[in-house]
């Protein structure tokens, strides 16, 4: 689960997996951090339980009025309360169906005195044959990973972040020529950092990330992206990135976490300061 407290009048939540241990704490934090924002959106990358788990608790506590998802008719053998709420939101007038190149006020368009959130959707291309095959499997209740949206957030003159959902390696290889990839500051590894979602080298060459976030899948399933700077959430815990112009200040919830690629700029905005880095110049391929 990620959230972005934008500099504009926007607040974005990307996926969730709320359980009994963390739900109340996280929901309280979301309510506090979004309290002064006029536009709040929830972006669900794909219809898997660990990407919308507990969404009914969040929706009850903080009504989701803008629900972004890839258009689908996913079914499940076991319909959890979270899946039922996902479907209700997906099929309601609160839904906005995201796809490659889509635009919406105020996701990536300014208007009425309110700035853009700087969010762009790089995938899916709904006409792509590989996506059509993945969508058919999703709608049949067989597999859901490769219907994932690719979501990019960028701050003008500052950092950029990329979410890949649970895309699998072979699928990413298949769509390489159909997706536009630019240099990106921080990439969240696909499928929680699992080897099955290893980002292809051809993608990494285009993305040229300064850092890759590896999620909390079991260690034996992870790919550690040798040769790249990584944040591993098993060690770091919750990560906070405070973006100020070309600087990114990094905080981690696990006490004592350190990273040799960060410099100490004596920040104290949040607890758990780890260090800072300067955003490399972006370019377009």
């Amino acid at each position: 689960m990620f959230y972005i407290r934008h500099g504009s009048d926007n607040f974005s939540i990307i996926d969730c997996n709320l359980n009994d241990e963390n739900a109340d704490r996280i929901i309280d934090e979301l309510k506090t951090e979004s309290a002064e924002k006029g536009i709040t959106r929830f972006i669900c990358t794909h219809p898997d339980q660990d990407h919308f788990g507990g969404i009914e608790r969040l929706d009850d506590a903080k009504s989701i009025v803008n629900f972004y998802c890839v258009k689908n008719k996913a079914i499940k053998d076991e319909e959890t309360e979270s899946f039922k709420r996902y479907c209700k939101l997906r099929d309601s007038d609160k839904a906005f169906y995201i796809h490659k190149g889509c635009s919406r006020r105020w996701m990536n368009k300014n208007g009425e005195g309110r700035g853009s959130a700087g969010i762009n959707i790089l995938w899916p291309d709904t006409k792509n044959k590989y996506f059509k095959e993945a969508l058919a499997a999703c709608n049949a209740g067989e597999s859901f990973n490769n219907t994932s949206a690719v979501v990019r957030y960028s701050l003008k003159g500052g950092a950029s972040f990329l979410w890949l959902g649970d895309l699998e390696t072979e699928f990413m290889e298949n769509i390489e020529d159909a997706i536009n990839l630019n240099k990106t500051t921080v990439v969240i590894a696909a499928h929680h950092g699992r080897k099955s979602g290893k980002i292809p080298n051809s993608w990494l060459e285009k993305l040229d990330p300064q850092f890759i976030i590896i999620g909390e899948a079991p260690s034996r399933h992870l790919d550690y992206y040798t040769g790249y700077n990584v944040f591993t959430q098993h060690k770091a815990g919750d990560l906070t990135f405070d973006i100020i112009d070309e600087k990114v200040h990094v905080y981690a919830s696990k006490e004592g976490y350190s990273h040799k690629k960060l410099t100490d700029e004596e920040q104290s905005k949040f607890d758990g300061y780890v260090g800072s880095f300067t955003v490399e110049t972006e370019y377009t391929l």
Side-chain angles (χ1 to χ4, degrees), residues 110-128:
N110 300 330
E112 299 180 10
R114 178 179 287 118
S116 156
I119 290 175
N120 287 284
I121 309 301
L122 307 188
W123 191 261
D125 178 347
T126 57
K127 296 180 180 179
N128 179 273

Side-chain angles (χ1 to χ4, degrees), residues 47-285:
D48 248 344
Q49 180 69 24
D50 60 341
H51 288 257
F52 57 66
I55 195 171
E56 73 282 3
R57 299 178 69 164
L58 176 61
D59 191 27
D60 289 344
K62 175 182 168 54
S63 180
I64 297 173
V65 296
N66 295 294
F67 185 73
Y68 291 31
C69 67
V70 174
K71 190 174 184 179
N72 68 84
K73 297 180 181 179
I75 58 173
K76 304 271 188 178
D77 290 336
E78 180 184 352
E79 293 194 349
T80 63
E81 289 304 312
S82 296
F83 181 64
K84 291 176 183 177
R85 185 63 62 91
Y86 169 89
C87 292
K88 183 177 180 180
L89 290 164
R90 177 196 67 188
D91 300 333
S92 73
D93 59 5
K94 298 178 180 180
F96 175 69
Y97 300 126
I98 55 177
H99 54 84
K100 178 181 176 179
C102 64
S103 62
R104 194 185 200 201
R105 191 188 300 172
W106 290 270
M107 178 181 78
N108 48 25
K109 293 175 66 176
N110 300 330
E112 299 180 10
R114 178 179 287 118
S116 156
I119 290 175
N120 287 284
I121 309 301
L122 307 188
W123 191 261
D125 178 347
T126 57
K127 296 180 180 179
N128 179 273
K129 68 174 184 177
Y130 295 108
F131 173 73
K132 288 181 178 180
E133 291 171 0
L135 183 61
C138 168
N139 292 344
E142 297 169 358
S143 61
F144 311 93
N145 289 345
N146 289 326
T147 60
S148 294
V150 177
V151 180
R152 191 175 192 270
Y153 162 67
S154 59
L155 182 68
K156 187 175 181 180
S160 53
F161 291 73
L162 190 74
W163 286 263
L164 298 167
D166 280 352
L167 290 180
E168 298 168 1
T169 303
E170 183 179 358
F171 185 86
M172 287 187 274
E173 291 172 341
N174 286 337
I175 68 168
E176 177 186 349
D177 294 334
I179 184 170
N180 298 321
L181 301 171
N182 296 332
K183 180 173 175 58
T184 299
T185 311
V186 178
V187 173
I188 294 84
H191 211 185
H192 315 276
R194 285 181 171 87
K195 295 175 183 176
S196 58
K198 167 69 168 63
I199 304 170
N201 290 335
S202 57
W203 282 45
L204 290 171
E205 289 172 2
K206 295 175 182 178
L207 293 170
D208 189 24
Q210 285 185 251
F211 292 90
I212 298 173
I213 297 177
I214 298 174
E216 295 183 305
S219 296
R220 66 185 182 277
H221 297 316
L222 294 177
D223 186 294
Y224 288 94
Y225 290 91
T226 302
Y228 288 90
N229 300 321
V230 301
F231 295 109
T232 306
Q233 289 194 283
H234 283 303
K235 296 180 179 179
D238 296 336
L239 288 163
T240 299
F241 298 90
D242 186 29
I243 307 171
I244 302 176
D245 298 324
E246 78 282 2
K247 289 288 186 179
V248 179
H249 307 300
V250 184
Y251 300 79
S253 65
K254 286 196 176 179
E255 187 175 351
Y257 178 71
S258 62
H259 200 296
K260 63 182 180 181
K261 292 296 183 179
L262 302 179
T263 59
D264 184 4
E265 299 194 4
E266 300 181 351
Q267 299 295 307
S268 59
K269 185 174 180 178
F270 306 101
D271 293 332
Y273 176 65
V274 179
S276 305
F277 67 91
T278 302
V279 177
E280 295 174 351
T281 302
E282 296 193 9
Y283 55 84
T284 302
L285 289 178

